[in-house]
């Protein structure tokens, strides 16, 4: 919950911090560049799950990585709060991305360790976990948005650091009660190979430095770089899992079945994560945020999905529990999720020419409800199925792959944001909506053979 408070609290105000004028407390970047940086940062968080999960599976175990990652997140928010200008953004975003990446996959792996593979409560358990996560996603933007609008951006960033400190304090009270499997290292790496990890990290740092100083990588194309690197990392990881000698044929078949779900998840998050980019700008200019004479903070648009998750997650959890073995297979849920979010994007079209402040708040609330219905059919479900389909020696890393699908999608949300034109919105909403539905139709069409590949996992 507190990691999500940290992440959503900061990302809720990040875009406007980047494009607001200096007089308004911002850094005065072009709006499209700001949206691209937000997308790139979100993608980098999910890309960092690969490193965090590898260290968890091969070196330290999930529980230790989760603990130290929380400390790194807190340090990142302190940097954002105290360091001025672009230096604070650079240091802060790097630390928060690394820490969030380490915490994401390991937290889910620890939840997965509480259930056996055949335990039908797993989906319901992850839905409850997901509701707690989204409580943080609600409180984060709520408090940071208020602090930003009334005192200033850096107080909002600092609140996220305080939240993570509280999270660590609470975690320490129950840390000892976790099962031993949460602390184990499922596939220990030989000490002789550790130099490869250090060498790889050093090489990445050198390449980023060279690309940045030569101009090949810059603020405007950062989201594209992140999307490409995340996609290549995904291909590499699937290849490693499918060819590893310690992965048996059943596990390989299940991993192969995860690929269509991965693609569906990429498409879904490419649209959903625009809440922090295009839709934040939409909230700033086109949405009517006045409620009974009071103007809602711009960043509170990211509160709306969190509220819907808190309201609808118990309904989804109860539904899956009641349906049991009769519930739709995972690929069908993923396909339907894309139809919901595609339809949501098409509902922006009627107000495309409404002008400044012309879109009613209630209309946007309804649209974001469809976002969340789709989210509940793909995100907690994806976490649950990733823990079931994962080869035993790739448990945390399979979860990292699921999160990496979000990373590719989030980075793509920054890429797509460049094509948004506030003066001519209809082509953007239409192409995004119909594109999501087309991918959803393909996922539904291949659902039966995919279920066969899942070898008993539904």
């Amino acid at each position: 919950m507190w990691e999500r408070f940290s992440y959503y609290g900061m990302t809720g105000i990040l875009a406007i911090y980047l494009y607001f004028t200096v007089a308004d407390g911002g850094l005065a970047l072009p709006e499209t560049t700001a949206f691209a940086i937000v997308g790139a940062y979100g993608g980098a968080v999910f890309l960092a799950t690969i490193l965090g999960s590898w260290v968890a599976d091969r070196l330290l175990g999930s529980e230790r990585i989760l603990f130290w990652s929380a400390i790194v997140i807190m340090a990142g928010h302190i940097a954002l709060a105290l360091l001025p200008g672009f230096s604070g953004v650079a240091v802060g975003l790097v630390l928060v991305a690394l820490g969030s990446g380490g915490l994401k996959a390991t937290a889910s792996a620890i939840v997965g360790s509480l259930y056996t593979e055949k335990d039908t409560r797993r989906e319901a358990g992850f839905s409850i976990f997901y509701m707690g996560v989204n409580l943080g996603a609600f409180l984060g933007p709520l408090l940071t948005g208020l602090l930003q609008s009334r005192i200033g951006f850096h107080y909002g960033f600092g609140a996220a650091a305080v939240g993570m400190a509280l999270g660590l304090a609470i975690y320490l009270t129950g840390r000892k009660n976790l099962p031993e499997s949460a602390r184990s290292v499922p596939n220990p790496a030989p000490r002789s190979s550790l130099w490869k990890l250090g060498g790889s990290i050093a090489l990445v740092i050198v390449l980023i430095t060279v690309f940045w100083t030569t101009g090949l990588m810059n603020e405007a194309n950062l989201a594209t770089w992140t999307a490409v690197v995340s996609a290549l990392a995904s291909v590499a990881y699937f290849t490693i899992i499918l060819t590893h000698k310690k992965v048996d044929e059943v596990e390989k078949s299940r991993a192969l079945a995860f690929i269509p779900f991965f693609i569906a998840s990429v498409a879904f998050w490419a649209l959903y994560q625009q809440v922090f980019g295009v839709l934040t700008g939409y909230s700033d200019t086109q949405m009517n945020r006045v409620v009974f004479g009071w103007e809602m903070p711009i960043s509170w648009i990211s509160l709306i999905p969190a509220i819907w998750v808190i309201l609808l997650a118990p309904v989804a959890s109860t539904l899956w529990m009641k349906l049991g073995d009769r519930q739709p297979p995972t690929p069908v849920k993923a396909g339907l999720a894309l139809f919901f979010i595609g339809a949501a994007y098409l509902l922006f079209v009627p107000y495309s020419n409404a002008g400044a402040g012309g879109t009613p708040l209630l209309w946007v609330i309804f649209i974001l409800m469809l976002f969340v219905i789709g989210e509940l059919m793909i995100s907690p479900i994806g976490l649950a199925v990733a823990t079931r389909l994962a080869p035993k020696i790739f448990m945390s890393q399979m979860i990292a792959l699921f999160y990496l699908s979000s990373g590719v999608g989030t980075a793509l949300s920054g890429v797509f944001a460049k094509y948004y034109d506030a003066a001519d919105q209809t082509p953007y909403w239409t192409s995004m909506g119909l594109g999501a539905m087309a991918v959803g139709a393909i996922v539904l069409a291949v659902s039966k053979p995919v279920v066969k590949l899942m070898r008993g996992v539904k």
Side-chain angles (χ1 to χ4, degrees):
M1 185 188 80
W2 287 106
E3 185 273 333
R4 291 291 84 185
F5 177 98
S6 153
Y7 178 84
Y8 282 104
M10 187 268 285
T11 50
I13 61 176
L14 179 59
I16 54 176
Y17 176 60
L18 293 172
Y19 77 72
F20 266 25
T21 64
V22 175
D24 290 329
L27 300 182
L29 289 176
E31 203 172 86
T32 55
T33 301
F35 296 157
I37 290 174
V38 172
Y41 160 71
V45 168
F46 295 106
L47 185 59
T49 61
I50 293 296
L51 176 62
S53 62
W54 188 92
V55 176
D57 278 353
R58 305 300 303 276
L59 297 178
L60 298 176
S62 294
E63 196 280 329
R64 292 184 188 88
I65 293 300
L66 182 142
F67 176 74
W68 290 106
S69 294
I71 293 174
V72 172
I73 291 171
M74 186 170 62
H77 285 295
I78 291 172
L80 279 163
L82 298 181
L83 296 179
F86 289 105
S87 60
V89 171
V91 174
L93 293 189
V94 168
L95 288 175
V96 176
L98 287 173
S100 294
L103 192 145
K104 272 181 170 296
T106 52
S108 301
I110 290 171
V111 174
S113 73
L114 303 176
Y115 301 92
T116 64
E117 184 180 300
K118 297 295 183 181
D119 195 331
T120 57
R121 299 173 299 168
R122 181 180 290 250
E123 278 76 8
F126 268 100
S127 291
I128 294 169
F129 167 70
Y130 202 66
M131 184 173 63
V133 164
N134 278 275
L135 181 59
F138 167 74
L139 292 174
L142 177 70
L143 295 180
T144 58
L146 281 174
L147 289 168
Q148 174 270 317
S149 61
R150 296 187 179 185
I151 308 176
F153 283 100
H154 292 285
Y155 289 92
F157 294 139
V162 174
M164 183 48 68
L166 287 170
L168 274 166
I170 294 168
Y171 178 72
L172 286 171
T173 65
R175 189 182 184 192
K176 63 181 182 298
N177 298 322
L178 292 170
E180 188 57 36
S181 59
R183 300 179 180 85
S184 65
V185 181
N187 185 27
R191 291 185 178 276
S192 58
S193 67
L194 294 184
W195 66 269
K196 295 179 182 178
L197 175 62
S200 298
I201 293 173
L203 178 61
V204 169
I205 293 172
V206 169
L207 289 175
I208 291 175
T209 302
V210 171
F211 290 161
W212 195 269
T213 54
T214 58
L216 289 173
M217 182 185 291
N218 52 60
E219 295 93 340
N221 66 17
L222 200 55
T224 303
W225 273 100
T226 306
V228 170
V229 172
S230 299
L232 292 175
S234 305
V235 172
Y237 242 106
F238 272 115
T239 301
I240 291 169
I241 291 173
L242 292 171
T243 58
H244 200 284
K245 62 183 179 181
K246 291 185 179 180
V247 177
D248 63 33
E249 289 305 313
V250 171
E251 290 178 324
K252 287 179 181 178
S253 178
R254 289 175 173 177
L256 192 63
F258 193 67
I259 294 176
F261 188 90
F262 181 93
I263 294 170
S265 184
V266 168
F268 180 85
W269 292 111
L271 273 66
Y272 188 99
Q273 290 294 81
Q274 295 193 42
V275 168
F276 303 105
V278 168
L279 293 185
T280 296
Y282 190 88
S283 172
D284 182 17
T285 57
Q286 183 152 337
M287 194 170 77
N288 183 355
R289 293 180 285 111
V290 178
V291 182
F292 300 116
W294 171 78
E295 187 174 53
M296 183 185 85
I298 296 166
S299 64
W300 276 19
I301 189 172
S302 60
L303 282 178
I304 300 170
I307 294 171
W308 279 122
V309 170
I310 292 168
L311 293 174
L312 296 177
V315 177
S317 179
T318 302
L319 178 63
W320 304 141
M321 286 284 284
K322 285 188 176 295
L323 289 175
D325 291 337
R326 294 179 290 112
Q327 61 186 280
T330 300
V332 172
K333 293 174 185 174
L336 292 175
L338 287 167
F339 271 91
F340 273 106
I341 200 164
Y345 263 69
L346 294 178
L347 290 177
F348 280 109
V349 173
Y351 288 95
S352 290
N353 300 312
T359 306
L361 176 60
L362 285 176
W363 187 248
V364 176
I365 289 173
F366 174 71
I367 289 173
L368 292 179
M369 181 190 72
L370 298 182
F371 272 47
V372 169
I373 292 173
E375 180 183 3
L376 291 172
M377 299 185 79
I378 203 167
S379 193
I381 302 303
L383 281 173
V385 81
T387 61
R388 282 185 165 178
L389 294 177
K392 288 183 174 60
I393 66 169
F394 286 104
M395 179 61 73
S396 292
Q397 293 170 80
M398 192 72 162
I399 296 170
L401 259 177
F402 169 72
Y403 280 124
L404 194 54
S405 70
S406 303
V408 178
T410 302
L412 284 175
S413 74
V415 175
F416 293 155
K418 298 176 184 178
Y419 300 100
Y420 174 73
D421 183 358
D424 185 18
Q425 300 173 21
T426 301
Y428 190 79
W429 303 127
T430 304
S431 59
M432 293 289 104
L434 294 179
M437 288 181 164
V439 177
I442 294 170
V443 172
L444 290 175
V446 301
S447 61
K448 286 187 177 180
V450 169
V451 169
K452 289 181 180 179
L453 288 172
M454 292 168 73
R455 300 287 187 95
V457 174
K458 192 178 181 183

